[in-house]
Amino acid sequence: MKRIDGGLIDRGQILTFTFDGRNYIGHGGDTLASALLANGVQLMGRSFKYHRPRGVLTAGSEEPNALVELRSGARQEPNTRATVAELYDGLEARSQNRWPSLAVDALAVNDLAAPLLTAGFYYKTFMWPKAFWEKLYEPMIRRAAGLGALSMAPDPDGYDRGFLHADLLVIGGGAAGLAAALTAGRSGARVVLADEDFRLGGRMLAESQLLDGQPASDWVAQAEADLRRMDNVRILPRTTVFGVYDHGIHGAVERVGDHLADPGPVRQRLWRITAKRTVLAAGAMERPIAFADNDRPGIMLAGAMRAYLNRWAVAPEGRVAIFTCCDDGHRTALDLVARGVKVFAVIDSRAEAPRFGDYNVMRGAVVTGTQGRRALRTIEVTQSDGTSTWLECSALGVAGGWNPTLHLTGHHRSRPVWDATIAAFVPGQGGPAGLAAAGAAAGRGGCAAAMADGARVAGEALAALGMSVTGADLPATEDPPQAIAPLWHVPGKRRAWVDQQNDVTVKDIRLAHQENMVSVEHLKRWTTLGMATDQGKTANVTALAVMAELTGKSIPETGTTTYRPPFTPVSMGVLGSGDTGPGFRPRRLPPTHRWAEREGAVFVEVGPWMRAQYFPRAGETHWRQSVDREALAVRRDVGLCDVTTLGKIDVQGADAGAFLDRIYSNAMASLKVGRVRYGLMLREDGILYDDGTCARLAEDHYVVTTTTANAGPVFRNMEFARQALFPDMDVQLVSTTDAWAQIAVAGPKSRALLERIVDGFDLSSDAFPFMACAPLTVAGGLRARLFRISFSGELAYELAVPARYGGAVMARLMELGADLGVTPYGTEALAVLRIEKGHAAGAELNGQTTAAMLGLGRMVSVKKDAIGAVMSRRPGMAGDTRRLVGLRPVDAEERVVSGAHLFTEGAVRSMDTDEGWITSACYSPHLQTMIGLGFLKDGADRMDEVIVAANPLEGSEVRLKVVSAHFVDPEGDRPRD
Amino acid sequence: MLIPHPLLGPRDAQEFTYLGDARLIDRPDGMAEGAGAAFHDYLYLRDNPAGPHRELWYHEHGDRSWLVVTRDTTTHEILGAELVKGPGR
């Protein structure tokens, strides 16, 4: 093909680009496909299975063949359709699925082996031996039948996300879409007009049809200018609406920077468009006719040939012919002739084919073969009397009729219905609520018809919203005739391609039928027809028709496959929209975070929180050194730890106590003001759910703490209980996790330290005993709450201050405690301390355990109704004899690993003899050996027994002695000191 | 999906957390005779209708209301939404 005059390209803009390393020149307004064609390049890719040479078939997003790799380095982008890749200066493109080069492809031998590589070949051939599949067959197939390659480097580009709301969303900016948008815009509706092309106008840009006696592009420019002047209209070019979801929600991708050498800060944007009504004006896609060897470069759809001619000023060279079964093929011939391109034949399968202009018509004739390895050379034309002739031909336009682009109407439950007059499927009933198709997408194509339809459908949508409609002035134009006598395939012995992307031929469909793939869905999966990047946009309807012929059913009886989002491929990057790396989810920082950074803490992610894991000091080279030092400091002196992340729920109201009696398995209404109680929460099925402390600050005021992980879910469940289960109770809840900074002050010298910061508050055990709580002030008037509770097993307190003072109070405590040996400790030491003390945490409350297993069975009160209490008493659950025990290695040097399973010495290792598992393990600096907690069958009665912990993952076994879970201070004297 | 919140108007479903069948509201009395059997039915027996389904949604990223939403499971059409703590409850 070659470039001619005219067209909608900016010749003042000279754009250089490369394809497979060679330099070419194109212009502004070109796509990669149009620019390559203008440079005489027809061969653009190799087919998926047979590695057949392929050129461009279409001029739009439905392209099955011309898939290329764009850009290089980290931005390398595979499987991009050359037909929608907007040209820019410096664009690099490479062909795919070929080696060593596009022209000479070693795997083209697959084509010679085609009799073997029929549909279902993989299923039949690579069945056995089974072990070969993963190691040999699959890698081999993947290498041979591949598309483009990923760079495997992180994507350097930015992606954005946005939300739009509209009265009317118009999908497609062609004749129907522009008429709809103009109507709605003038009527004052909020309109979003999305078009996948970089230029509005749709099919009008590809046709020579005049509007009001002027080129259609002039009218389109005027319409666009009118729309841009309306504040209530938003135009989104380069935007593909890829899916319709519930209640008027649409997903769309705007390619913001794909057409720029440097994509800029935002490469693509994911739009979530919520519209009260939607007009689908997506137009129609031309379908090919299947005939022998119909896939050679140089054979393209007649409508695409017309688009390249009229919009991109690229004309076919040499001997040009059209093969058609409808009037639309003649339209291409007319346009070609008008632009000085000689058309030697319009081969029309209809016996009564018309002739509209200065070209030769072969009536009742079909194309029955082609030749030309890398480009079309000759075609075989067979007349109705059976005589065949080979004719020289370098460019063949194929016109099989148009299929409405109705995909989005099928994204819910609707199936398309067959319209015999246009020989195509049109949208059926039951599509997405509020969405109506207009113009060619509804089977009402032709520029004039589509415009009138777009205006009408938009008007009806607005009227349904109760808006008054101001009509748009639409131009006068006359649509050419559109008669059709559908021809799906030309019978013959050679392969006739239906799905060019997946190399599915009429033969394959026949084979699938012979092998009893009766349903269309089976056909699809057996042959891979309609899969991959183009989802069979040019193939599906033809395949159905061939299937119908084979089964003797009608096309509508044969049915269609289901249309699912996305309409065209969507990059994972834009679906993530920047939710990568640190932006993967919001990060929560406790109030002492800056202080901890200054202290040199190493941080760990705990859910969304960043918590200080440990605080390395000079000379420490291993985390264990830091953690051991921190844990020992708490047992010897005093340590500080930010425990703000534990959930805090403020419970207030006259019925607060009664409400908490329902939430906790143990009693809370009886808790005295100024006291704290440990509490257990169960799931309604009786399994342990969460634990924490409950403090009573006043008659009608409690503060509940939860574990860090369950802060949200516990609050949610308590709200459910309050609103749904016990709506008559006078109680209110508020989450105060972020309102209060909470610092654990733990260790024998914690009282001495706190005495230096409280404002005249008596901390003696008489005045403020273990499990006391009180509001007070610290540091000269700062509002605070103090709880005498202990997770470490030492004399300990938790001090809460308003969150914004957390960092300052932590720093002050460090300063005041310098001579007491005050030491900050992180989550690792926190865990060591609680394992040494035998306190349960997430590993013990793992959704499989009961209160009885923790040795806390008596905390499930039988005197009141609480969530989970009834079911915790059912048989099976109540009979579980596994109990929490401590475990010490017999040989102090041995490792204790959580997750290991417990067995009686000498027992066979099996599910039947399994007696429990290790939940938590750590090195105890206090005992100078590793220790563990675990659930062991009849554990409470097996103290001092030696058992075996098996760790099959590492193939190790360790002998452990069963001991009390309280490795430290089993009598519990220290916190009461 | 859009949930028509009775107080706040149409809200995006992403603001909500889903729980399930609204019969979870009708919790048996744990102190009553035969509570075990009643709780078994309450916890484990659910209808799975193709059609209108009354179900619980929590406006977690909103006003913390628990709602009973009636949704057609075959079309996702929302037929109604009310506060779980409504008049008469």
Side-chain angles (χ1 to χ4, degrees), chain A residues 586-610:
Chain A
R587 184 178 273 193
R588 298 176 77 182
L589 301 177
T592 61
H593 186 77
R594 300 281 169 241
W595 165 84
E597 278 182 333
R598 287 195 300 274
E599 288 285 322
V602 172
F603 294 96
V604 60
E605 283 183 38
V606 180
W609 291 99
M610 290 298 287

Side-chain angles (χ1 to χ4, degrees), chain A residues 246-247 272 684 719 723, chain B residues 2 12 27 30 64 66 76:
Chain A
D246 292 308
H247 307 157
R272 185 185 170 92
E684 193 68 274
E719 277 291 0
Q723 294 177 38
Chain B
L2 299 177
D12 197 298
R27 184 178 181 275
R64 301 189 270 128
W66 276 94
H76 286 187

